[in-house]
Amino acid sequence: MWRDLRTIGRAADTGGYRRYAWTAADADCRAWFQAQAEARGLACELDRNGNQWAWLGDPSAGDAVVTGSHLDSVPDGGAFDGPLGVVSSFAALDELRRRKAEFTRPVAVTNFGDEEGARFGLACVGSRLAAGQLTREKAYELKDADGISLPQAMEAAGYDPAAIGPDPERLARIGAFVELHVEQGRALDLSGDAVGIASAIWPHGRWRFDFAGEANHAGTTRLVDRRDPMLTYAQTVLAARREAELAGAVATFGKISVEPNGVNAIPSLVRGWLDSRAPDQATLDTVVAAVEQAARERAERDGVDLAVVRESFTPVIEFEHALRDELNKILGGAVPVLGTGAGHDAGILSTSVPTAMLFVRNPTGVSHSPAESADEDDCLAGVRALADVLEGLACR
């Protein structure tokens, strides 16, 4: 499976992946998923929001055990974030068939669409739509960097955007959702464990900072006469690092847009996107408020106008304790339980169905990068753990 998937959407110059929603690479990933499902005799279907489902057993029976993840990527992302969960899900079913397991509940493998939000700027679009956390109206407003809207992109890819929206009937048929994911940190590497269980997802969000100044000639405008929004933006980046460090949180300006974007021109507008996450809501609020305050103080000093827009937000997500404890019991009771600052489809679905997550050790902790990795032995340990969990939940 890795061999067939590894070349899809891979950039030759960086070795990273560019599997963006509703593109040719996305279509190839979807075709790969369908081929894997059909090779195992699973019934493959596409829901109203473009999420793929591969069923073993009757979906209408209800109380299904569902596993899976996503196949899209961030710009120049790694091979494991998302795909490891999908590949491991198919491999876990193979393992259970080898064990001659007898299923008493329907089981499905999923590929949720547009989890990373790399194209339209909002993460977990497929699962948010299904769970009713993103309305059709708001989804229709999403646009990529080229001005192409989400419905236009879906239509160009051969899907009907008029169908998107909440899918409560489908979610009501799910009794448990378990997502396996490569750890995006080093907790397991430091503890010496191959597999862990998620306790919670930190609250996190994305804020757009618009710094408006005055375009002018870079070579003839005196420093004292400038209204340079890039200067204000640079100071805000430093403030974000400082405030996050003080609070024990994380804050990152990872995306920037500049107008007119000329080497010899002072910018008229700088847009920067802040991603911030923290162990609890109060800490996150404190960090974001401090960053905004620092930005406003500097903007006033530089003669720059500032507007701040919260583009997305996810509160702290505690995975269902009963399901989490059941996973730990199935796996022998000695599996480390850890929190994460990364968002996942399992977190979105947790408002609608019982959800849990398994993490596979990442020896470097690097993620969202071509350097992302996981050892084969650890990946196989993850498959065995997921197979044990599915057997414990769906074969009793």
Side-chain angles (χ1 to χ4, degrees), residues 180-200:
L180 180 146
H181 205 280
V182 67
E183 188 195 358
Q184 294 168 290
R186 291 192 60 211
L188 292 175
D189 182 57
L190 295 173
S191 70
D193 296 282
V195 177
I197 297 174
S199 60

Side-chain angles (χ1 to χ4, degrees), residues 302-320:
D302 295 334
V304 168
D305 297 323
L306 171 62
V308 179
V309 178
R310 189 179 78 176
E311 293 194 335
S312 68
F313 175 74
T314 304
V316 63
I317 294 167
E318 286 275 351
F319 290 111
E320 187 181 83

